[in-house]
Amino acid sequence: MSQFKLPELPYAYDALAPYMSAETLQFHHDKHHQAYVDNGNKLAGEGTKYAGKSIEAICVEAFNAKDAPVVNNIGQHFNHIHFWKWMKKGGGGKKMPGKLEKLVEAAGGFDKVRADFINAGVTQFGSGWAWLALKGDKLEIMKTANGENPLMHGAKPLLGVDVWEHSYYIDYRNARPKYLEAFVDHLINWEHVEMMLEAKTS
Ligand code: MN3
């Protein structure tokens, strides 16, 4: 039995068009995420020292051990499990659940957080992610390389956007800023962000 499994997309492949096409989701979910799952099962599944541990615990342990293949493949599996849920049809914009809204206000307000989050994604050199994370009781904007995520840097991930080219090149070619603007303005599922804010983590 495999420890890691590819989750179903929580919507139809064409649900996020025109901001993210069915073709992008078919490649990104069915090919790229599947590859992280398959590699993850080989690298951190049964018979390895990671067997049976939570995915969050494996992220931290592998990062501390400088185990780059596990950091990247299990990190990417964690990141993508949530990435699909961080988007929905008709999402985005500044209307968000109350606890999250308070955190955003305390960090300078929506316009500042939107600009800083987009800027983090634009300035992440090469492949990686931009994040809203909780560090202590404050909202922090972060960017990470490759498959890393805030769990590995002592923070709790609340929202992440994939800035690997496979996430935007079909729909936006090299225009990463336009993809990030569309993500924030039209795709974010703020309810999943609020859910992660409220979830207990170790
Ligand atoms: Mn990806």
Side-chain angles (χ1 to χ4, degrees):
M1 201 186 83
S2 298
Q3 182 168 353
F4 307 105
K5 287 197 173 65
L6 183 69
E8 297 268 319
L9 277 186
Y11 32 72
Y13 286 105
D14 62 359
L16 305 182
Y19 305 108
M20 187 175 284
S21 65
E23 188 184 359
T24 290
L25 284 169
Q26 278 156 359
F27 275 94
H28 197 172
H29 175 270
D30 299 5
K31 308 287 185 197
H32 291 275
H33 191 174
Q34 182 71 59
Y36 302 131
V37 169
D38 293 343
N39 289 329
N41 279 317
K42 286 183 203 134
L43 294 162
E46 264 178 44
T48 74
K49 65 178 178 177
Y50 301 106
K53 293 177 180 169
S54 75
I55 188 164
E56 292 85 356
I58 296 171
C59 283
V60 173
E61 184 180 333
F63 185 76
N64 289 338
K66 297 187 165 51
D67 186 347
V70 173
V71 166
N72 284 322
N73 285 285
I74 296 300
Q76 284 291 66
H77 181 40
F78 174 88
N79 297 348
H80 287 83
I81 287 170
H82 293 288
F83 185 59
W84 313 128
K85 295 180 185 171
W86 278 319
M87 298 185 287
K88 68 173 189 181
K89 185 182 182 67
K94 61 170 71 175
K95 204 168 174 294
M96 63 185 74
K99 201 172 162 187
L100 184 63
E101 192 170 33
K102 282 202 183 78
L103 204 61
V104 167
E105 281 308 312
F110 177 80
D111 291 344
K112 178 175 167 37
V113 169
R114 176 186 182 280
D116 291 351
F117 179 72
I118 289 172
N119 188 54
V122 170
T123 58
Q124 169 55 38
F125 188 80
S127 297
W129 293 72
W131 301 94
L132 297 185
L134 193 68
K135 197 152 194 178
D137 59 358
K138 286 202 171 62
L139 191 67
E140 187 158 305
I141 287 139
M142 302 176 69
K143 54 186 175 181
T144 57
N146 301 320
E148 289 180 22
N149 60 47
L151 294 168
M152 304 169 184
H153 297 277
K156 180 173 170 174
L158 302 179
L159 171 68
V161 63
D162 188 338
V163 298
W164 287 58
E165 285 185 347
H166 65 226
S167 195
Y168 63 87
Y169 217 83
I170 290 171
D171 299 323
Y172 299 89
R173 295 302 172 191
N174 59 325
R176 194 192 282 188
K178 282 201 164 40
Y179 155 69
L180 288 163
E181 286 168 12
F183 181 85
V184 175
D185 296 338
H186 300 287
L187 292 177
I188 295 173
N189 177 6
W190 289 116
E191 286 72 32
H192 190 63
V193 184
E194 175 97 346
M195 195 282 284
M196 294 200 70
L197 177 61
E198 290 183 333
K200 297 263 183 291
T201 49
S202 51

